Amino acid sequence: MERTWRWFGKNDKITLAMLKQIGVEGIVTALHDVPLGEVWTREKIHDLKTYIESFGMRWSVVESLPVVETIKYGGPDRDQQIEIYKESLKNLSAEGIHTICYNFMPVLDWARTDLSHPNPNGSTNLYFSFPEFAYFDKYILKREGAEKDWEEMGKSIGRNILAEVEELKKTMNAEKDHALVENIVIKTQGFVSGNFKEGDEHPVELFRQLLDLYKGITKEQLRENMCYFLSAIMPVCDECDMYMCVHPDDPPFPVLGLPRIVTCDEDINWFLKAVDNPHNGLTFCAGSISAGAHNNPVELAKKYANRTWFVHLRSCHIFANGDFTEASHLGGRADIIELARIFEKTNPNLPMRVDHGMTMLGDEERGYNAGYSFLGRMFAMGQVQGVLATVDRELGIEYKQPGFFD
Ligand code: DNO
């Protein structure tokens, strides 16, 4: 697979020169300065692409070209927004970029309750706690229906989440509430979705307004809206040879009363068949998939490798009570070694990036985006490069480490 890295643009503290030293061949990025819902112009794309190429790398994948909420909930201006999306696709393809990672998660992109949960080895990782998330929902967001949803979720995982929320409540205070809002909304959503910004004064209020847009939107309706969007853009994708790859929902189960539609085998099968065109494909995010106890990542990879156009390698560990955290890239539920075999066999040129590394050895001082440390991700990248080199030898594929004389 092509070794790529998610880079947040020229303001990223991690520079392209640094990435070159650690064997990165392709860059995964976006025009982070273009506001949601505006066209990505050819000039802006060209500028960033030229900058990346000046370091001897290529712009391999766009992550993300955001699908704005109105397209997801089917608002009155969705057709207008779809036209804008098509323009951006045409401009990207004119600059030679043909792979787009996006998601169809309403309001909230990925969700975690703790961004620096201690690992036994002294580093930290991201963590999802059911009672903390439910506490946020019930007592901070004060969402109508929260109690009922968490009662049902509790039953499905054999846990009395609401009782745990009450216990947790006794230990919470204004400062801890604020930290939870930072983790769930501000620090994680800001840099990925554009719905929120650091410094938003009333993030919870804004969050409620966004949730309101989805009142009455069922899973079936959301599926229909995804199908509408994909069907509308496919002619442009065919014309421009543009590969759309949806990112699975993270975590892969419904949260905050919002439907989620890319969570499991049945969902993936549904959206691939609903718009049965090779340009409609999947980002195989092994991390999001492995965060669901109902998913078998290796089986899903075997089944969907031929419609996968981008791979995220990371792995989750699910605790006995259902909470989950990021595992080592060589451990956890994802079985990255076997995934590497499956994807190398299918297409050795598939772009792949490691995702969500540990925060370690001073990363915590550097203000990186949550999950996007340098040393932790570099460590993971080293592990994955070793796996790829080994798998390639088994399969008789030549493995070349860029940046050396041999
Ligand atoms: C999290 C990422 C996601 C992903 C988007 C794609 O770390 O994998 O935020 O970029 O969901 O649209």
Side-chain angles (χ1 to χ4, degrees), residues 62-302:
V62 170
E63 181 174 352
S64 309
L65 182 57
V67 176
V68 291
E69 300 296 336
T70 188
I71 296 180
K72 293 180 185 170
Y73 67 83
D77 53 341
R78 77 166 152 180
D79 288 335
Q80 195 184 328
Q81 280 298 327
I82 289 175
E83 287 311 309
I84 291 176
Y85 206 92
K86 287 189 201 163
E87 277 313 298
S88 301
L89 290 178
K90 286 183 197 159
N91 291 340
L92 283 160
S93 121
E95 290 297 327
I97 299 157
H98 294 278
T99 309
I100 310 286
C101 171
Y102 71 101
N103 71 71
F104 222 80
M105 288 178 252
V107 184
L108 194 68
D109 194 311
W110 56 293
R112 295 293 185 279
T113 52
D114 187 353
L115 308 179
S116 48
H117 193 79
N119 281 322
N121 69 3
S123 66
T124 65
N125 261 140
L126 309 173
Y127 189 96
F128 183 92
S129 146
F130 276 96
E132 285 183 11
F133 202 84
Y135 171 87
F136 165 80
D137 194 7
K138 184 172 173 193
Y139 286 114
I140 299 181
L141 211 52
K142 301 190 173 72
R143 185 178 63 86
E144 204 185 308
E147 198 154 326
K148 184 167 158 282
D149 287 352
W150 290 109
E151 194 182 331
E152 272 168 27
M153 174 65 85
K155 276 189 204 143
S156 75
I157 60 170
R159 187 169 179 184
N160 190 341
I161 298 176
L162 288 174
E164 288 183 63
V165 168
E166 292 314 310
E167 278 309 300
L168 178 65
K169 186 165 182 282
K170 296 180 191 154
T171 68
M172 295 300 279
N173 53 36
E175 205 181 313
K176 287 186 179 169
D177 280 7
H178 180 71
L180 203 51
V181 173
E182 288 228 303
N183 291 349
I184 297 177
V185 184
I186 303 170
K187 289 192 186 152
T188 39
Q189 304 309 304
F191 74 95
V192 288
S193 81
N195 274 343
F196 300 90
K197 286 181 246 12
E198 292 262 349
D200 274 339
E201 273 187 34
H202 303 290
V204 174
E205 199 33 55
L206 182 56
F207 203 87
R208 283 193 195 111
Q209 286 166 10
L210 286 165
L211 284 182
D212 275 351
L213 298 171
Y214 286 87
K215 281 232 162 90
I217 304 278
T218 57
K219 177 169 180 174
E220 287 62 41
Q221 185 65 52
L222 192 64
R223 277 185 165 184
E224 222 173 87
N225 295 350
M226 183 179 181
C227 190
Y228 183 92
F229 164 69
L230 286 170
S231 309
I233 63 168
M234 276 304 122
V236 170
C237 295
D238 289 342
E239 194 184 300
C240 302
D241 199 25
M242 193 54 101
Y243 288 86
M244 298 297 298
C245 18
V246 72
H247 187 283
D249 303 339
D250 182 359
F253 44 78
V255 285
L256 309 175
L258 297 165
R260 294 205 144 183
I261 55 172
V262 192
T263 63
C264 60
D265 188 9
E266 202 255 319
D267 284 349
I268 299 172
N269 196 39
W270 173 82
F271 87 83
L272 291 177
K273 289 228 169 87
V275 180
D276 200 4
N277 179 326
H279 290 116
N280 170 30
L282 177 68
T283 294
F284 194 95
C285 174
S288 311
I289 287 170
S290 63
H294 53 280
N295 287 328
N296 178 332
V298 166
E299 287 310 312
L300 293 177
K302 280 188 198 147

